[in-house]
Amino acid sequence: MRVSVVGAGLGGLALAQGLRGAGIEADVFERDPGITARFQGYRLVLNPAGFQSVRACLPTRWHPLLDEIVMEASAEQLILDPQLNEIGRLGAGRTGIVVDRQVLRHLLLTGLTVHTDATLTGYDVLADGNVQARFARRDPATADLLVGADGVTSAVRAVLSPQTTSTDTGVRFVIGRTPLTDEFAGLSKAYGSKITGDGVSLLLGAMRFRTPPKQAAEQLAPEVTLPDIGDYVRWAMILPPNGSLEDLTAQDAVLSRMEGWHPELRALIEQADPDNSTLLSIRVVKPGERWASGPVTLLGDAIHATSPTGGNGANTALRDADLLRRCLIEAGEGRQDLLSAVDDYERQMFEYGADAVRSSLDKLPAFAPEAKLS
C-alpha cells in the first residue's frame, strides 16, 4: 500500500510516521518552498487523547525523547483585569501536556520523505482504483490513497467536497512569543488565564522544557535534530471583529491597545521576537455532508478547522492521524479492504470532528462577543 499525504502539518506528519512504522509507504507533499519557510513554533496544549495519539504514531524508541520535551501544565483559567487583579473565572481549571509545535514538528519530520514546493492542482481517480495527484511544479504521484491534510484552504477538499468551505468568524488575533526570563516571574498567575480590557483579550502561556530540545535529542535520539530554543511565554491578543490595525506591526497593534496596562504585561510584548509575531484570522470549517466513498479523504483542519479558543484543533488532527493509521493498518493486514477502512475512519472522524468545531465556537464569545458564528 502507498499513501500520498498532502500537507506537512502535525496531523499529516503524524499519519506518515505512523504508517512508516507499520511498513506502509507514505510520501508527504508540502506546498511551502521549504520545511522551515514559515514559522510554526508556538506552544500548544495536548489533552490525553491528543498526546496518546501522537505517541502511538511515533516509534517507541523516541518515546523517552517525547516525554523529555513536553511539560505537564495546569491553569486556573482566571479572568484578570489589565492590572492583573482577578475579576472572574473562565471555568474549571485546565490540565494537559504542553509541547512546542515547532519542536514536535521537527520530531515528526525525522526520517520521512517530504516533497516541498509541491502545490496540488488536482487529482484523478484512475481506472484501477488508484489516485493520481497533480502538482504545479513536479511530476504527478500515484498512490492507493490520497489524504488531504492541507489545512483550512485545503486544495484536496476543494475537489473532493467543494460544498464544504471555510467560514471567517471576523475575529483577528495577534500571536507571538517572548523569552521567559526572571523579569516575568510575577506573571505566573496569568498563564492560562484571560486578561481583558478595552475590548480585547490577552492570553498567556508558558513553555518550559524539562531539557532543552536540542540537548535532549543529542542525549536520547542522536538521529533526531531538534531546534535550539529555550523557555518562552506564548502570548495572543484577540481583537474585536474586523477591527482596523492601521498598518501597524504585530507588536505595535497589541501595544496600541495596552495603554495603562500593567508594566510587566507591556514589557512582555515589547521584548517579543518580532520575527515570530504575526496577525492571524480565526476561520472554521464545519464537516458537512459526506462525499462519495473513494480513495481520497481529509484530515485535520482540512475538514474540521476549529477556533483556537477551544484548544482542540491540534488534538483533533492528531486523533485523526492515529485513527486513520489504525484503519489503514487493518487494510494492509487484509482484515478489511481499503475503501471500508477509509469509510470506517470517516464515519468516526465526522462525528467527533463536528463536536470539536461546535465546542470551539461555543467558547469563542467569551473572548470575542461579536464573532460571527453562523
Side-chain angles (χ1 to χ4, degrees):
M1 184 190 302
R2 190 179 196 94
V3 178
S4 291
V5 180
V6 178
L10 296 183
L13 294 175
L15 172 63
Q17 278 288 355
L19 296 178
R20 176 174 174 258
I24 297 173
E25 293 183 82
D27 292 306
V28 181
F29 299 89
E30 169 56 50
R31 62 177 170 239
D32 283 349
I35 287 299
T36 58
R38 290 181 295 121
F39 178 73
Q40 299 187 39
Y42 298 112
R43 164 194 188 273
L44 55 87
V45 180
L46 298 181
N47 58 31
F51 184 65
Q52 288 306 315
S53 291
V54 74
R55 191 179 183 88
C57 290
L58 286 169
T60 55
R61 66 181 183 279
W62 292 348
H63 288 180
L65 174 58
L66 177 65
D67 293 339
E68 196 63 28
I69 59 174
V70 302
M71 61 174 275
E72 293 185 12
S74 61
E76 293 188 78
Q77 291 197 294
L78 306 175
I79 302 175
L80 308 174
D81 69 15
Q83 300 304 319
L84 299 178
N85 300 306
E86 182 179 340
I87 57 174
R89 289 181 175 269
L90 281 171
R94 185 183 181 197
T95 60
I97 300 293
V98 181
V99 65
D100 178 81
R101 182 186 294 269
Q102 183 186 22
V103 171
L104 180 58
R105 188 165 182 253
H106 275 75
L107 177 59
L108 289 168
L109 281 163
T110 304
L112 295 182
T113 300
V114 180
H115 308 277
T116 56
D117 198 23
T119 300
L120 185 91
T121 58
Y123 64 81
D124 300 294
V125 177
L126 306 179
D128 61 3
N130 288 341
V131 59
Q132 185 179 73
R134 293 179 272 109
F135 302 93
R137 288 175 294 277
R138 60 164 289 115
D139 293 337
T142 302
D144 298 278
L145 178 68
L146 176 67
V147 180
D150 48 344
V152 176
T153 59
S154 173
V156 178
R157 186 188 70 233
V159 180
L160 178 64
S161 183
Q163 74 276 12
T164 305
T165 58
S166 65
T167 299
D168 191 337
T169 65
V171 181
R172 304 291 180 265
F173 68 105
V174 181
I175 189 167
R177 70 181 195 182
T178 304
L180 181 53
T181 62
D182 292 341
E183 178 180 356
F184 302 120
L187 294 177
S188 59
K189 74 173 182 178
Y191 300 148
S193 297
K194 178 180 79 167
I195 304 158
T196 185
D198 301 325
V200 298
S201 296
L202 181 67
L203 311 176
L204 308 182
M207 182 71 239
R208 298 184 181 91
F209 298 102
R210 293 171 179 166
T211 301
K214 185 174 185 294
Q215 179 183 334
E218 290 170 348
Q219 294 173 350
L220 298 172
E223 72 275 21
V224 178
T225 300
L226 295 183
D228 187 12
I229 63 174
D231 298 347
Y232 64 88
V233 178
R234 188 272 299 133
W235 51 265
M237 177 171 278
I238 300 179
L239 306 171
N242 300 317
S244 171
L245 294 177
E246 303 162 354
D247 297 322
L248 298 174
T249 66
Q251 282 171 282
D252 287 343
V254 174
L255 290 169
S256 69
R257 290 163 170 79
M258 294 179 66
E259 186 173 348
W261 284 43
H262 194 287
E264 285 188 24
L265 292 173
R266 288 188 57 87
L268 183 75
I269 308 304
E270 290 168 348
Q271 296 179 33
D273 179 354
D275 293 332
N276 295 335
S277 304
T278 188
L279 172 71
L280 298 170
S281 61
I282 295 182
R283 291 177 291 171
V284 299
V285 176
K286 300 177 182 179
E289 185 179 344
R290 287 273 301 276
W291 48 81
S293 180
V296 184
T297 193
L298 299 172
L299 176 156
D301 283 357
I303 183 58
H304 47 62
T306 65
S307 164
T309 51
N312 54 10
N315 285 295
T316 311
L318 292 170
R319 182 176 177 181
D320 289 351
D322 184 39
L323 173 60
L324 183 53
R325 173 191 71 89
R326 288 185 279 113
C327 290
L328 293 180
I329 288 174
E330 287 196 0
E333 294 176 347
R335 285 181 278 162
Q336 61 176 324
D337 62 61
L338 176 60
L339 294 187
S340 295
V342 174
D343 182 73
D344 191 21
Y345 158 72
E346 290 175 352
R347 178 178 47 78
Q348 297 180 63
M349 176 272 290
F350 261 70
E351 183 174 352
Y352 66 70
D355 287 343
V357 177
R358 275 194 299 270
S359 174
S360 75
L361 289 176
D362 286 346
K363 295 175 182 176
L364 184 56
F367 301 90
E370 299 175 18
K372 304 170 187 174
L373 305 182
S374 59

